[in-house]
Amino acid sequence: MIDEKATQTNKAANLRRKKLRGNVGKAVVDYAMIEDGDKVMVCVSGGKDSFVMLDALLHLQRVAQIKFSVVAVNLDQKQPGFPDHVLPEYFDSKGVDYFIIDKDTYSVVKSKIPEGKTTCSLCSRLRRGTLYSFAEDIGATKLALGHHMDDMVETLFLNMFFQARLKGMPPKLLSDDKRNIVIRPLAYCREKDIAKVAADSAYPIIPCNLCGSQENLQRKKIKSMIAEWDSVNPGCVENIFHSLQTVIPSQLADHDLFDFVNLSIDRSDARAPYGFEAAEVSSSRVDGRIDVVRIL
């Protein structure tokens, strides 16, 4: 009985991992994230998302028809109590090429951001600059980040609510200076599925002392709001994400994306039938005259 239960548990875990790897593979293909000969720098923070992403990309490396290399990179931000032995030991156990780079962004953030205020913006800028420059130093052609579908939907609403911009987090991004390409292989993956796969794999998760200590971050509020929507309307997160893939500029309001000024009607061709086009007039006012017609 115990062996049968363990077998069923392992089968379920394998199915979850297979589904997630399939979603990663589809995202990689859909957005041409990885090309033959690429050197992919996988940014591993020690959180569940980056562990799962690394595993999925290593699997893809084994089964893909193209050839690409993978190197794991961890940015040690010198947070107090950070267990700096965990990731090297994990990478060594998996035979993964890796670099640990040291940059005391923790002290910079703590010195510039008052206690209780949001650190994410400054912290992410400091990390991004360090990782971008290091990618160039080692000749990496792609930087893989562990953002998933939930992150992308949350970012959309964060920008709408607090920045008044319809802007998201794309699956593939060319940096502003055009020197790096960022890819997000988990774009088609839900966070809840990533969490299950991470639990199945028992990764040595390392918590973040900067983000985890701030309970009132705007992102957490947005996350809570979206979670409530998703509980009432399952599938809404997927629908919101798919809307980012199906943008119709003429149905929005950005005059830089669509020419609203020069719209003009064209009635030169015969009109196609409209649905329910036969209207009956009940009353009218034309040239100052009011006509009363039979009221239906």
Side-chain angles (χ1 to χ4, degrees), residues 184-275:
R184 297 181 169 101
L186 299 179
Y188 289 174
C189 303
R190 290 296 310 273
E191 183 176 17
K192 59 187 178 183
D193 297 327
I194 292 170
K196 291 176 183 176
V197 171
D200 293 337
S201 303
Y203 295 123
I205 305 298
I206 302 173
C208 174
N209 294 329
L210 280 173
C211 301
S213 63
Q214 295 175 299
E215 296 300 324
N216 296 317
L217 291 176
Q218 292 171 342
R219 182 174 288 275
K220 289 191 176 183
K221 295 177 182 178
I222 293 292
K223 182 185 286 288
S224 177
M225 178 188 74
I226 294 174
E228 183 177 353
W229 293 351
D230 202 30
S231 66
V232 176
N233 298 291
C236 77
V237 172
E238 288 84 350
N239 285 341
I240 295 169
F241 177 79
H242 293 323
S243 75
L244 295 173
Q245 299 176 301
T246 316
V247 176
I248 307 174
S250 65
Q251 306 301 302
L252 298 175
D254 190 333
H255 50 72
D256 289 331
L257 293 180
F258 188 80
D259 186 3
F260 293 98
V261 174
N262 295 307
L263 293 180
S264 61
I265 61 174
D266 180 0
R267 293 176 176 169
S268 58
D269 294 334
R271 186 183 74 218
Y274 293 123

Coordinates of all heavy atoms in Angstrom, one line a residue, residues 184-275:
R184 N 12.1 35.3 -20.7 CA 11.4 34.8 -19.5 C 10.7 33.5 -19.9 O 9.5 33.5 -20.3 CB 10.4 35.9 -19.1 CG 11.0 37.2 -18.6 CD 10.0 38.2 -18.2 NE 10.7 39.3 -17.5 CZ 10.9 40.5 -18.1 NH1 10.6 40.8 -19.3 NH2 11.6 41.5 -17.4
P185 N 11.5 32.4 -19.7 CA 10.9 31.1 -20.2 C 9.7 30.6 -19.4 O 9.0 29.8 -19.9 CB 12.1 30.2 -19.9 CG 13.3 31.1 -19.9 CD 12.9 32.3 -19.3
L186 N 9.4 31.2 -18.2 CA 8.3 30.8 -17.5 C 7.0 31.6 -17.8 O 6.0 31.5 -17.1 CB 8.6 30.9 -16.0 CG 9.7 30.1 -15.4 CD1 9.9 30.3 -13.9 CD2 9.5 28.6 -15.7
A187 N 7.0 32.3 -18.9 CA 5.9 33.2 -19.3 C 4.6 32.5 -19.3 O 3.5 33.1 -19.0 CB 6.2 33.9 -20.6
Y188 N 4.6 31.2 -19.7 CA 3.3 30.5 -19.9 C 3.0 29.6 -18.6 O 2.1 28.8 -18.7 CB 3.4 29.5 -21.1 CG 3.4 30.2 -22.4 CD1 3.5 29.5 -23.6 CD2 3.2 31.6 -22.6 CE1 3.5 30.1 -24.9 CE2 3.1 32.2 -23.8 CZ 3.3 31.4 -25.0 OH 3.3 32.0 -26.2
C189 N 3.7 29.8 -17.6 CA 3.6 29.0 -16.3 C 2.9 29.8 -15.2 O 3.3 31.0 -15.0 CB 4.9 28.5 -15.8 SG 5.8 27.5 -17.1
R190 N 1.9 29.2 -14.5 CA 1.3 29.8 -13.4 C 2.2 29.6 -12.2 O 2.8 28.6 -12.0 CB -0.1 29.3 -13.1 CG -1.1 29.6 -14.2 CD -1.5 31.1 -14.2 NE -1.7 31.6 -12.9 CZ -2.9 31.6 -12.3 NH1 -4.0 31.1 -12.9 NH2 -3.1 32.1 -11.1
E191 N 2.2 30.6 -11.3 CA 3.0 30.5 -10.0 C 2.6 29.3 -9.2 O 3.4 28.6 -8.6 CB 2.8 31.8 -9.2 CG 3.7 31.8 -8.0 CD 3.7 33.1 -7.2 OE1 2.7 33.9 -7.5 OE2 4.6 33.3 -6.4
K192 N 1.3 29.0 -9.1 CA 0.8 27.9 -8.3 C 1.4 26.5 -8.8 O 1.7 25.7 -8.0 CB -0.7 27.8 -8.2 CG -1.4 27.7 -9.6 CD -2.9 27.8 -9.5 CE -3.5 27.7 -10.8 NZ -5.0 27.9 -10.7
D193 N 1.6 26.4 -10.1 CA 2.1 25.2 -10.7 C 3.6 25.1 -10.4 O 4.2 24.1 -10.2 CB 1.9 25.2 -12.2 CG 0.4 25.1 -12.5 OD1 -0.4 24.5 -11.7 OD2 -0.1 25.7 -13.5
I194 N 4.3 26.3 -10.5 CA 5.7 26.4 -10.2 C 6.0 25.9 -8.8 O 6.9 25.2 -8.5 CB 6.3 27.8 -10.5 CG1 6.2 28.1 -12.0 CG2 7.7 27.9 -9.9 CD1 6.5 29.5 -12.3
A195 N 5.1 26.4 -7.9 CA 5.3 26.1 -6.4 C 5.2 24.6 -6.2 O 5.9 24.0 -5.4 CB 4.2 26.9 -5.6
K196 N 4.2 24.0 -6.9 CA 4.1 22.5 -6.7 C 5.3 21.8 -7.2 O 5.8 20.8 -6.6 CB 2.8 22.1 -7.5 CG 1.5 22.6 -6.8 CD 0.3 22.1 -7.7 CE -1.0 22.7 -7.1 NZ -2.1 22.4 -8.0
V197 N 5.8 22.2 -8.4 CA 7.0 21.5 -8.9 C 8.2 21.7 -8.0 O 9.0 20.8 -7.8 CB 7.3 22.0 -10.3 CG1 8.6 21.5 -10.8 CG2 6.2 21.6 -11.3
A198 N 8.3 22.9 -7.5 CA 9.4 23.2 -6.6 C 9.3 22.4 -5.3 O 10.3 21.9 -4.8 CB 9.4 24.7 -6.2
A199 N 8.1 22.2 -4.8 CA 7.9 21.4 -3.6 C 8.2 19.9 -3.9 O 8.8 19.2 -3.1 CB 6.5 21.5 -3.1
D200 N 7.8 19.4 -5.1 CA 8.1 18.1 -5.5 C 9.6 17.8 -5.5 O 10.1 16.7 -5.1 CB 7.6 17.8 -6.9 CG 6.0 17.8 -6.9 OD1 5.4 17.6 -5.9 OD2 5.5 18.0 -8.0
S201 N 10.4 18.8 -6.0 CA 11.8 18.7 -6.1 C 12.6 19.0 -4.9 O 13.8 18.7 -4.9 CB 12.3 19.6 -7.3 OG 11.6 19.3 -8.5
A202 N 12.0 19.6 -3.9 CA 12.6 19.9 -2.6 C 13.9 20.7 -2.8 O 14.9 20.4 -2.3 CB 12.9 18.6 -1.8
Y203 N 13.7 21.8 -3.6 CA 14.9 22.7 -3.8 C 15.3 23.4 -2.5 O 14.4 23.6 -1.7 CB 14.5 23.7 -4.9 CG 14.3 23.2 -6.2 CD1 13.1 23.5 -6.9 CD2 15.2 22.5 -6.9 CE1 12.8 23.0 -8.1 CE2 15.0 22.0 -8.2 CZ 13.8 22.2 -8.8 OH 13.5 21.8 -10.1
P204 N 16.5 23.7 -2.3 CA 17.0 24.4 -1.1 C 16.7 25.9 -1.3 O 17.5 26.7 -1.5 CB 18.5 24.2 -1.1 CG 18.9 24.0 -2.6 CD 17.7 23.3 -3.2
I205 N 15.4 26.3 -1.1 CA 14.9 27.6 -1.3 C 15.6 28.6 -0.3 O 15.7 28.3 0.9 CB 13.4 27.7 -1.1 CG1 12.7 26.7 -2.1 CG2 12.9 29.1 -1.4 CD1 13.0 27.0 -3.5
I206 N 16.0 29.7 -0.8 CA 16.6 30.8 0.0 C 15.7 32.0 0.1 O 15.5 32.6 -1.0 CB 18.0 31.2 -0.5 CG1 19.0 30.0 -0.6 CG2 18.6 32.3 0.4 CD1 20.3 30.3 -1.3
P207 N 15.2 32.4 1.2 CA 14.3 33.6 1.3 C 15.0 34.9 1.0 O 16.2 35.0 1.3 CB 13.7 33.5 2.7 CG 14.7 32.8 3.5 CD 15.4 31.8 2.5
C208 N 14.3 35.9 0.6 CA 14.9 37.2 0.4 C 14.6 38.1 1.6 O 13.4 38.3 1.9 CB 14.4 37.9 -0.9 SG 14.9 39.6 -1.1
N209 N 15.6 38.6 2.3 CA 15.3 39.4 3.4 C 14.9 40.8 3.1 O 14.4 41.6 4.0 CB 16.6 39.5 4.3 CG 17.0 38.2 4.9 OD1 16.1 37.3 5.1 ND2 18.3 37.9 5.0
L210 N 15.1 41.3 1.9 CA 14.6 42.6 1.5 C 13.1 42.6 1.2 O 12.3 43.3 1.8 CB 15.4 43.1 0.3 CG 16.8 43.6 0.6 CD1 17.5 43.9 -0.8 CD2 16.7 44.9 1.4
C211 N 12.7 41.8 0.2 CA 11.3 41.8 -0.3 C 10.4 41.1 0.8 O 9.3 41.6 1.0 CB 11.2 41.0 -1.6 SG 12.2 41.7 -2.9
G212 N 10.9 40.0 1.4 CA 10.0 39.2 2.2 C 9.6 40.0 3.5 O 8.6 39.6 4.2
S213 N 10.3 41.0 3.9 CA 10.0 41.7 5.2 C 9.0 42.8 5.0 O 8.6 43.4 6.0 CB 11.3 42.3 5.7 OG 11.9 43.3 4.9
Q214 N 8.6 43.1 3.8 CA 7.7 44.3 3.6 C 6.3 43.7 3.2 O 6.1 43.3 2.1 CB 8.3 45.2 2.5 CG 9.6 45.8 2.9 CD 10.2 46.6 1.8 OE1 10.5 46.1 0.7 NE2 10.3 47.9 2.0
E215 N 5.4 43.8 4.1 CA 4.1 43.2 3.9 C 3.2 44.0 3.2 O 2.1 43.6 2.7 CB 3.5 42.8 5.3 CG 4.3 41.7 6.1 CD 4.4 40.4 5.3 OE1 3.4 40.1 4.6 OE2 5.5 39.8 5.4
N216 N 3.4 45.3 3.0 CA 2.5 46.2 2.4 C 3.0 46.7 1.0 O 2.6 47.8 0.6 CB 2.2 47.4 3.3 CG 1.5 47.0 4.6 OD1 0.6 46.2 4.5 ND2 1.9 47.5 5.7
L217 N 3.8 45.9 0.3 CA 4.2 46.3 -1.0 C 3.0 46.4 -1.9 O 2.1 45.7 -1.8 CB 5.2 45.3 -1.5 CG 6.6 45.2 -0.8 CD1 7.4 44.1 -1.4 CD2 7.3 46.5 -1.0
Q218 N 3.1 47.3 -2.9 CA 2.1 47.5 -3.9 C 1.8 46.2 -4.6 O 0.7 45.8 -4.9 CB 2.4 48.6 -4.8 CG 2.4 50.0 -4.2 CD 3.0 51.1 -5.1 OE1 3.7 50.8 -6.0 NE2 2.7 52.3 -4.7
R219 N 2.9 45.5 -4.9 CA 2.7 44.2 -5.7 C 1.9 43.2 -4.9 O 1.1 42.4 -5.4 CB 4.1 43.6 -6.1 CG 4.0 42.4 -6.9 CD 5.3 41.9 -7.4 NE 5.9 42.7 -8.5 CZ 5.5 42.6 -9.8 NH1 4.7 41.6 -10.1 NH2 6.1 43.4 -10.6
K220 N 2.2 43.2 -3.6 CA 1.4 42.2 -2.8 C -0.1 42.5 -2.7 O -0.9 41.6 -2.7 CB 2.0 42.2 -1.3 CG 3.3 41.5 -1.3 CD 3.8 41.2 0.2 CE 5.1 40.5 0.2 NZ 5.5 40.1 1.6
K221 N -0.4 43.8 -2.7 CA -1.8 44.2 -2.8 C -2.4 43.8 -4.1 O -3.5 43.3 -4.2 CB -1.9 45.7 -2.6 CG -1.5 46.2 -1.2 CD -1.6 47.7 -1.1 CE -1.1 48.2 0.2 NZ -1.1 49.7 0.4
I222 N -1.7 44.0 -5.2 CA -2.2 43.6 -6.5 C -2.3 42.1 -6.6 O -3.3 41.6 -7.1 CB -1.2 44.1 -7.6 CG1 -1.2 45.7 -7.7 CG2 -1.5 43.5 -9.0 CD1 -2.5 46.3 -8.2
K223 N -1.3 41.4 -6.1 CA -1.4 39.9 -6.1 C -2.6 39.4 -5.4 O -3.3 38.5 -5.8 CB -0.1 39.4 -5.4 CG 0.0 37.9 -5.4 CD 1.2 37.4 -4.6 CE 2.4 37.6 -5.4 NZ 2.6 36.6 -6.6
S224 N -2.9 40.0 -4.2 CA -4.1 39.7 -3.4 C -5.4 39.9 -4.2 O -6.3 39.1 -4.2 CB -4.1 40.4 -2.1 OG -5.3 40.1 -1.4
M225 N -5.4 41.1 -4.9 CA -6.6 41.4 -5.7 C -6.8 40.4 -6.8 O -7.9 39.9 -7.0 CB -6.4 42.8 -6.2 CG -7.5 43.3 -7.1 SD -7.1 44.9 -7.9 CE -5.9 44.3 -9.2
I226 N -5.7 40.1 -7.5 CA -5.9 39.2 -8.7 C -6.2 37.8 -8.2 O -7.0 37.1 -8.8 CB -4.6 39.2 -9.5 CG1 -4.4 40.6 -10.1 CG2 -4.6 38.1 -10.5 CD1 -3.0 40.7 -10.8
A227 N -5.7 37.4 -7.0 CA -6.0 36.1 -6.5 C -7.5 35.9 -6.2 O -8.1 34.9 -6.4 CB -5.2 35.8 -5.2
E228 N -8.1 37.0 -5.7 CA -9.5 37.0 -5.4 C -10.3 36.9 -6.7 O -11.2 36.1 -6.8 CB -9.9 38.3 -4.7 CG -11.4 38.3 -4.3 CD -11.7 39.6 -3.5 OE1 -10.8 40.4 -3.2 OE2 -12.9 39.8 -3.3
W229 N -9.9 37.6 -7.7 CA -10.5 37.5 -9.0 C -10.5 36.1 -9.5 O -11.4 35.5 -10.0 CB -9.9 38.4 -10.1 CG -10.0 39.9 -9.8 CD1 -10.8 40.5 -8.9 CD2 -9.4 40.9 -10.5 NE1 -10.7 41.9 -9.0 CE2 -9.8 42.1 -10.0 CE3 -8.4 40.9 -11.6 CZ2 -9.3 43.4 -10.4 CZ3 -8.0 42.2 -12.0 CH2 -8.4 43.4 -11.5
D230 N -9.3 35.5 -9.4 CA -9.0 34.1 -9.9 C -9.8 33.1 -9.2 O -10.2 32.1 -9.8 CB -7.5 33.8 -9.8 CG -7.1 32.7 -10.8 OD1 -7.7 32.6 -11.9 OD2 -6.1 32.0 -10.5
S231 N -10.1 33.3 -7.9 CA -10.9 32.4 -7.1 C -12.4 32.4 -7.5 O -13.0 31.4 -7.5 CB -10.7 32.7 -5.6 OG -11.3 33.9 -5.3
V232 N -12.8 33.6 -7.9 CA -14.2 33.8 -8.3 C -14.4 33.4 -9.8 O -15.4 32.8 -10.2 CB -14.7 35.3 -8.1 CG1 -16.1 35.5 -8.6 CG2 -14.6 35.6 -6.6
N233 N -13.4 33.8 -10.6 CA -13.5 33.5 -12.0 C -12.2 32.7 -12.5 O -11.2 33.3 -13.0 CB -13.6 34.8 -12.8 CG -14.9 35.5 -12.5 OD1 -15.9 35.1 -12.9 ND2 -14.7 36.7 -11.9
P234 N -12.1 31.4 -12.2 CA -10.9 30.6 -12.6 C -10.6 30.8 -14.1 O -11.5 30.8 -14.9 CB -11.3 29.2 -12.3 CG -12.4 29.3 -11.2 CD -13.2 30.6 -11.6
G235 N -9.3 31.0 -14.3 CA -8.9 31.2 -15.7 C -8.7 32.7 -16.1 O -8.3 33.0 -17.2
C236 N -9.1 33.6 -15.2 CA -9.0 35.0 -15.5 C -7.6 35.5 -15.7 O -7.3 36.4 -16.5 CB -9.8 35.9 -14.5 SG -8.9 36.2 -13.0
V237 N -6.6 34.9 -14.9 CA -5.2 35.3 -15.1 C -4.7 34.9 -16.5 O -4.1 35.7 -17.1 CB -4.4 34.6 -14.0 CG1 -2.9 34.9 -14.3 CG2 -4.7 35.2 -12.6
E238 N -5.1 33.7 -16.9 CA -4.7 33.3 -18.3 C -5.3 34.2 -19.3 O -4.7 34.6 -20.3 CB -5.1 31.8 -18.5 CG -4.3 30.8 -17.8 CD -4.8 30.5 -16.3 OE1 -5.6 31.3 -15.8 OE2 -4.3 29.6 -15.7
N239 N -6.6 34.6 -19.1 CA -7.3 35.5 -20.1 C -6.6 36.8 -20.1 O -6.4 37.4 -21.2 CB -8.7 35.6 -19.7 CG -9.6 34.4 -20.1 OD1 -9.1 33.5 -20.9 ND2 -10.7 34.2 -19.5
I240 N -6.2 37.4 -19.0 CA -5.6 38.7 -19.0 C -4.2 38.6 -19.7 O -3.9 39.5 -20.5 CB -5.4 39.2 -17.5 CG1 -6.7 39.4 -16.9 CG2 -4.5 40.4 -17.5 CD1 -6.7 39.7 -15.4
F241 N -3.5 37.5 -19.4 CA -2.2 37.3 -20.1 C -2.4 37.2 -21.6 O -1.7 37.8 -22.4 CB -1.5 36.1 -19.6 CG -0.2 35.8 -20.3 CD1 0.9 36.5 -20.0 CD2 -0.1 34.8 -21.3 CE1 2.1 36.3 -20.7 CE2 1.1 34.6 -22.0 CZ 2.2 35.3 -21.6
H242 N -3.4 36.4 -22.0 CA -3.6 36.3 -23.5 C -4.1 37.6 -24.1 O -3.8 37.8 -25.3 CB -4.7 35.2 -23.7 CG -4.3 33.8 -23.3 ND1 -3.0 33.4 -23.5 CD2 -5.0 32.8 -22.8 CE1 -2.9 32.1 -23.1 NE2 -4.1 31.7 -22.6
S243 N -4.7 38.5 -23.3 CA -5.0 39.8 -23.9 C -3.8 40.6 -24.2 O -3.8 41.4 -25.1 CB -5.9 40.6 -22.9 OG -5.1 41.1 -21.8
L244 N -2.7 40.3 -23.5 CA -1.4 41.0 -23.8 C -0.9 40.5 -25.2 O 0.0 41.2 -25.8 CB -0.4 40.8 -22.7 CG -0.7 41.3 -21.3 CD1 0.3 40.9 -20.3 CD2 -0.8 42.9 -21.4
Q245 N -1.3 39.3 -25.6 CA -0.9 38.8 -26.9 C -1.8 39.2 -28.0 O -1.5 38.8 -29.2 CB -0.8 37.3 -26.8 CG 0.2 36.8 -25.7 CD 0.2 35.2 -25.6 OE1 -0.9 34.6 -25.3 NE2 1.3 34.6 -25.8
T246 N -2.9 39.8 -27.7 CA -3.9 40.1 -28.7 C -4.3 41.6 -28.5 O -5.5 41.9 -28.1 CB -5.2 39.2 -28.5 OG1 -4.8 37.9 -28.3 CG2 -6.1 39.2 -29.8
V247 N -3.4 42.5 -28.9 CA -3.7 43.9 -28.7 C -4.3 44.5 -29.9 O -3.8 44.2 -31.0 CB -2.3 44.6 -28.3 CG1 -2.5 46.1 -28.2 CG2 -1.8 44.0 -27.0
I248 N -5.3 45.3 -29.8 CA -6.0 45.9 -30.9 C -5.9 47.4 -30.7 O -6.7 48.0 -30.0 CB -7.5 45.5 -31.0 CG1 -7.6 43.9 -31.1 CG2 -8.1 46.1 -32.3 CD1 -9.0 43.4 -31.0
P249 N -4.9 48.1 -31.3 CA -4.7 49.5 -31.0 C -5.9 50.4 -31.3 O -6.1 51.4 -30.6 CB -3.5 49.9 -31.9 CG -2.8 48.6 -32.1 CD -3.8 47.5 -32.1
S250 N -6.7 50.1 -32.3 CA -7.8 50.9 -32.6 C -8.9 50.9 -31.5 O -9.8 51.8 -31.5 CB -8.4 50.5 -34.0 OG -9.0 49.2 -33.8
Q251 N -8.9 49.9 -30.6 CA -9.8 49.8 -29.6 C -9.3 50.4 -28.2 O -10.0 50.2 -27.2 CB -10.3 48.4 -29.4 CG -10.8 47.7 -30.7 CD -11.9 48.4 -31.3 OE1 -13.0 48.6 -30.6 NE2 -11.8 48.9 -32.5
L252 N -8.1 51.0 -28.3 CA -7.6 51.6 -27.1 C -7.7 53.2 -27.3 O -8.6 53.6 -27.9 CB -6.2 51.1 -26.8 CG -6.1 49.6 -26.6 CD1 -4.6 49.2 -26.5 CD2 -6.9 49.2 -25.3
A253 N -6.7 53.9 -26.8 CA -6.8 55.4 -26.9 C -5.5 56.1 -27.1 O -5.4 57.3 -26.9 CB -7.5 55.9 -25.6
D254 N -4.5 55.3 -27.5 CA -3.1 55.9 -27.7 C -3.0 56.4 -29.1 O -2.9 55.6 -30.1 CB -2.1 54.8 -27.4 CG -0.7 55.4 -27.4 OD1 -0.4 56.4 -28.0 OD2 0.2 54.8 -26.7
H255 N -3.0 57.7 -29.3 CA -3.0 58.3 -30.6 C -1.6 58.2 -31.3 O -1.5 58.5 -32.5 CB -3.4 59.8 -30.6 CG -2.7 60.6 -29.5 ND1 -1.4 61.0 -29.6 CD2 -3.1 61.1 -28.4 CE1 -1.0 61.7 -28.6 NE2 -2.1 61.8 -27.8
D256 N -0.6 57.7 -30.5 CA 0.7 57.4 -31.1 C 0.7 56.0 -31.8 O 1.5 55.8 -32.7 CB 1.8 57.5 -30.1 CG 2.1 58.9 -29.6 OD1 1.9 59.8 -30.4 OD2 2.6 59.1 -28.5
L257 N -0.2 55.2 -31.3 CA -0.3 53.8 -31.9 C -1.3 53.7 -33.0 O -1.3 52.8 -33.9 CB -0.6 52.8 -30.8 CG 0.5 52.6 -29.8 CD1 0.0 51.5 -28.8 CD2 1.8 52.1 -30.4
F258 N -2.3 54.6 -33.0 CA -3.4 54.6 -34.0 C -3.8 56.0 -34.3 O -3.9 56.9 -33.5 CB -4.6 53.8 -33.4 CG -5.6 53.6 -34.4 CD1 -5.5 52.5 -35.3 CD2 -6.8 54.4 -34.5 CE1 -6.5 52.3 -36.2 CE2 -7.7 54.1 -35.4 CZ -7.6 53.1 -36.3
D259 N -4.0 56.2 -35.6 CA -4.3 57.5 -36.1 C -5.8 57.8 -36.0 O -6.6 57.5 -36.9 CB -3.9 57.7 -37.6 CG -4.1 59.1 -38.2 OD1 -4.5 60.0 -37.4 OD2 -3.8 59.2 -39.4
F260 N -6.2 58.4 -34.9 CA -7.6 58.7 -34.6 C -8.0 60.0 -35.4 O -9.2 60.2 -35.7 CB -7.9 58.9 -33.1 CG -7.8 57.6 -32.3 CD1 -6.6 57.3 -31.6 CD2 -8.8 56.7 -32.3 CE1 -6.5 56.1 -30.9 CE2 -8.7 55.5 -31.6 CZ -7.5 55.2 -30.9
V261 N -7.1 60.9 -35.6 CA -7.4 62.2 -36.2 C -7.9 62.1 -37.6 O -8.8 62.7 -38.0 CB -6.1 63.1 -36.1 CG1 -6.4 64.4 -36.9 CG2 -5.7 63.3 -34.7
N262 N -7.3 61.2 -38.4 CA -7.6 61.1 -39.8 C -8.5 60.0 -40.2 O -8.5 59.5 -41.3 CB -6.3 61.0 -40.6 CG -5.4 62.2 -40.5 OD1 -5.9 63.4 -40.7 ND2 -4.2 62.0 -40.0
L263 N -9.4 59.6 -39.3 CA -10.4 58.6 -39.6 C -11.4 59.2 -40.6 O -11.8 60.4 -40.5 CB -11.1 58.1 -38.3 CG -10.3 57.3 -37.3 CD1 -11.2 57.0 -36.1 CD2 -9.7 56.1 -37.9
S264 N -11.8 58.4 -41.5 CA -12.8 58.9 -42.5 C -13.7 57.7 -42.9 O -13.3 56.6 -43.0 CB -12.1 59.5 -43.7 OG -11.4 58.5 -44.4
I265 N -15.0 58.0 -43.2 CA -15.9 57.0 -43.6 C -15.7 56.7 -45.1 O -15.3 57.6 -45.9 CB -17.3 57.4 -43.3 CG1 -17.7 58.7 -44.1 CG2 -17.6 57.6 -41.8 CD1 -19.2 59.0 -44.0
D266 N -16.1 55.5 -45.5 CA -16.0 55.1 -46.9 C -17.2 54.3 -47.3 O -17.4 53.2 -46.8 CB -14.7 54.3 -47.2 CG -14.6 53.8 -48.6 OD1 -15.5 54.2 -49.5 OD2 -13.6 53.2 -48.9
R267 N -18.1 54.9 -48.0 CA -19.4 54.3 -48.4 C -19.5 54.0 -49.9 O -20.5 54.0 -50.5 CB -20.6 55.1 -47.9 CG -20.7 55.2 -46.4 CD -21.8 56.1 -46.0 NE -21.9 56.1 -44.5 CZ -22.6 57.0 -43.8 NH1 -23.3 57.9 -44.5 NH2 -22.7 56.9 -42.5
S268 N -18.3 53.9 -50.5 CA -18.3 53.7 -52.0 C -18.7 52.3 -52.4 O -19.3 52.1 -53.5 CB -16.8 53.9 -52.5 OG -15.9 53.1 -51.8
D269 N -18.5 51.3 -51.6 CA -18.9 49.9 -51.9 C -20.3 49.6 -51.4 O -20.8 50.3 -50.5 CB -17.9 48.9 -51.4 CG -16.6 49.0 -52.1 OD1 -16.5 49.5 -53.2 OD2 -15.6 48.7 -51.4
A270 N -20.9 48.6 -51.9 CA -22.2 48.1 -51.4 C -22.0 47.7 -49.9 O -21.0 47.1 -49.6 CB -22.8 47.0 -52.2
R271 N -23.0 48.0 -49.1 CA -22.9 47.8 -47.7 C -23.2 46.3 -47.4 O -24.2 45.7 -47.9 CB -23.9 48.7 -46.9 CG -23.7 48.5 -45.4 CD -24.8 49.4 -44.7 NE -26.1 48.8 -44.7 CZ -27.2 49.5 -44.9 NH1 -27.2 50.8 -45.0 NH2 -28.4 48.9 -45.0
A272 N -22.4 45.7 -46.6 CA -22.7 44.4 -46.1 C -23.8 44.5 -45.1 O -23.9 45.5 -44.4 CB -21.4 43.8 -45.5
P273 N -24.6 43.4 -45.0 CA -25.8 43.5 -44.1 C -25.3 43.6 -42.6 O -24.3 43.0 -42.2 CB -26.5 42.2 -44.3 CG -26.0 41.7 -45.6 CD -24.6 42.2 -45.8
Y274 N -25.9 44.5 -41.9 CA -25.7 44.6 -40.4 C -26.7 43.6 -39.7 O -27.8 43.4 -40.2 CB -25.9 46.0 -39.9 CG -25.0 47.0 -40.4 CD1 -25.4 48.1 -41.0 CD2 -23.6 46.9 -40.1 CE1 -24.5 49.1 -41.4 CE2 -22.7 47.8 -40.5 CZ -23.1 48.9 -41.2 OH -22.2 49.9 -41.6
G275 N -26.3 43.1 -38.6 CA -27.3 42.4 -37.8 C -28.4 43.2 -37.3 O -28.1 44.3 -36.7

